[in-house]
Amino acid sequence: MAEAGHSCLFYGVPEPKANPVPLPMTVIDAFTATPFAGNPAAVCLLDVERDKPWMQLVAREMNHAETAFLLVRPDHVALRWFTPAVEVDLCGHATLASAHLLWETGRIPAGATIRFRTRSGVLTAEQDGDWIRLDFPALIATWADIPPGLSDALGAKPVSAATSRFDLLVELEHERVVRELKPDLQMLARLPFRGVIVTAQAANDEHYDFVSRFFAPQVGVPEDPVTGSAHCVLAPFWGERLGQTSMIGYQASPRGGTVKVDVAGDRVKLGGQAVTVLRAELLAAG
């Protein structure tokens, strides 16, 4: 038996390491007011800057379409987004979830505008009653030839195709086709785009102007439930088609979610709701 005051190292047993300070980890369903709908995002509140490999490991462990990492500064909030496979340049639902968390926890005062510094520049979030409004860049899609094999990959015949900064936008003939689509994800993953947005005008629906779905197997997201960045493409696309600047989109994934969009020049206002479904602590924070 060791004498009092003697180190355990004398016996070849390492001294226990001090536990790192746990980091708050929250799961929030975005673009919905109903738990277990919309698009879930994990949001991690950092205490100090962390390196990219560590953040990528955490995102892989969380295994949501996106994990957001926040570091609150005096005049802004640093924000980065990771899928389970890669860091991405723009993500709407994880930004919405991040704003919801900052106001809900009081880290940003209620009513105050949040300025996020991101890989896509400064993005702002504002409260609008029960809704959150995000100010994002408009992503204009340019008409393109329909890629060879796209019909086979989608299992449906495209009406038209266009390309944006990140994605391929594919218009289908009817809302029903969008909703019933069962694409070949391996074939879609071979296309040279972050993801594929499929869309159609809403069919006799007084609640929505257009519907969409989003598939991004190339970045580890087979189907994203509700995609804010895709609506940065959809808003100007349907705005021109419908002659409107304010519209409501419905992303018809199995979880489903609603996005209000307002086109203002080279910006798009994305409106959505969010609900917290889980609070935990990340212990492996070293």
Side-chain angles (χ1 to χ4, degrees), residues 53-73:
W54 178 85
M55 288 188 283
Q56 188 64 72
L57 288 173
V58 173
R60 188 176 70 182
E61 186 79 4
M62 296 307 298
N63 202 34
H64 287 293
E66 305 286 346
T67 297
F69 295 89
L70 306 178
L71 185 58
V72 180
R73 300 293 197 185

Side-chain angles (χ1 to χ4, degrees), residues 4-79:
H6 284 207
S7 170
C8 292
L9 291 176
F10 182 81
Y11 297 97
V13 179
E15 293 279 8
K17 293 182 178 180
N19 291 327
V21 177
L23 298 177
M25 180 68 76
T26 309
V27 175
I28 296 166
D29 290 339
F31 293 116
T32 181
T34 304
F36 314 122
N39 200 352
V43 183
C44 181
L45 278 164
L46 300 175
D47 51 355
V48 295
E49 289 187 10
R50 303 282 171 156
D51 61 44
K52 180 176 178 177
W54 178 85
M55 288 188 283
Q56 188 64 72
L57 288 173
V58 173
R60 188 176 70 182
E61 186 79 4
M62 296 307 298
N63 202 34
H64 287 293
E66 305 286 346
T67 297
F69 295 89
L70 306 178
L71 185 58
V72 180
R73 300 293 197 185
D75 61 345
H76 71 276
V77 178
L79 170 60

Side-chain angles (χ1 to χ4, degrees), residues 155-222:
K157 184 178 180 180
V159 173
S160 66
T163 58
S164 71
R165 176 182 171 189
F166 303 117
D167 305 311
L168 176 68
L169 175 66
V170 181
E171 182 185 3
L172 299 180
E173 63 180 352
H174 196 275
E175 175 182 340
R176 172 180 46 80
V177 181
V178 173
R179 289 179 178 271
E180 295 177 355
L181 204 66
K182 296 180 180 178
D184 185 321
L185 296 176
Q186 290 186 340
M187 292 181 68
L188 289 185
R190 291 196 285 270
L191 295 173
F193 304 97
R194 178 192 68 165
V196 177
I197 308 164
V198 295
T199 188
Q201 186 174 347
N204 302 319
D205 192 321
E206 62 183 20
H207 300 294
Y208 310 112
D209 296 291
F210 59 86
V211 298
S212 66
R213 290 172 70 187
F214 182 75
F215 304 95
Q218 191 179 92
V219 294
V221 183

